[in-house]
Amino acid sequence: MGATRRENHIEVLFDIKQFYDRVGMVVTYMEVEWLDLPVVDIGGTFDEEHVPQLLQFCTDNPEFHIVTCTGPWRLANKYVTGKRVYMLASGDQNPCLVLNSALDPNRALVAEEVICAALAILNQGKNVS
């Protein structure tokens, strides 16, 4: 039996880790720094003023693509104009892939893990001599 693919079929994930792993999210300022891009915050996010630079970076490095924060708890695995928060990724570039973590029944536990991970990154910086 052959496989088929439906164009424009939205695939919604609610597991943040699954989405981040699948799309290859660039999630820390250290990764952003290594890519020689401006560090905006510790989470690897960019604001609207950096969009031209991100678009050029993705053109020059086609293995990367832009992920857009389209609302609270929602990410689109593509560039969406006029939004305020953008990130880079280097994995699955399917533009129909969406994260809506508000649907996750374990959202409170995930939020705690994200905060702990962010605190660990901040603590790393404090312990550097």
Side-chain angles (χ1 to χ4, degrees):
M1 175 183 257
T4 62
R5 178 177 175 203
R6 293 184 344 183
E7 294 297 319
N8 300 321
H9 177 72
I10 302 290
E11 182 180 353
V12 180
L13 299 177
F14 64 85
D15 184 290
I16 294 172
K17 181 171 176 11
Q18 182 183 11
F19 180 85
Y20 275 35
D21 289 347
R22 182 165 165 186
V23 302
M25 293 292 285
V26 174
V27 293
T28 69
Y29 73 92
M30 294 174 281
E31 292 174 281
V32 170
E33 218 170 37
W34 186 80
L35 295 171
D36 202 28
L37 290 166
V39 174
V40 177
D41 70 15
I42 65 167
T45 64
F46 299 89
D47 50 36
E48 202 171 6
E49 75 182 60
H50 295 99
V51 166
Q53 190 173 3
L54 291 176
L55 290 170
Q56 185 60 53
F57 178 82
C58 291
T59 299
D60 296 342
N61 302 278
E63 66 274 19
F64 286 92
H65 65 282
I66 296 174
V67 174
T68 306
C69 180
T70 57
W73 302 95
R74 292 189 312 264
L75 296 176
N77 194 33
K78 63 183 177 182
Y79 171 65
V80 179
T81 61
K83 298 300 178 182
R84 296 173 55 181
V85 179
Y86 299 91
M87 299 177 82
L88 281 176
S90 63
D92 187 342
Q93 295 189 23
N94 178 358
C96 294
L97 186 59
V98 174
L99 170 70
N100 187 343
S101 58
L103 302 174
D104 189 349
N106 295 318
R107 186 173 65 173
L109 294 173
V110 171
E112 184 178 341
E113 287 177 15
V114 169
I115 290 169
C116 289
L119 290 173
I121 291 170
L122 288 173
N123 199 31
Q124 232 178 7
K126 286 187 346 187
N127 292 329
V128 175
S129 301

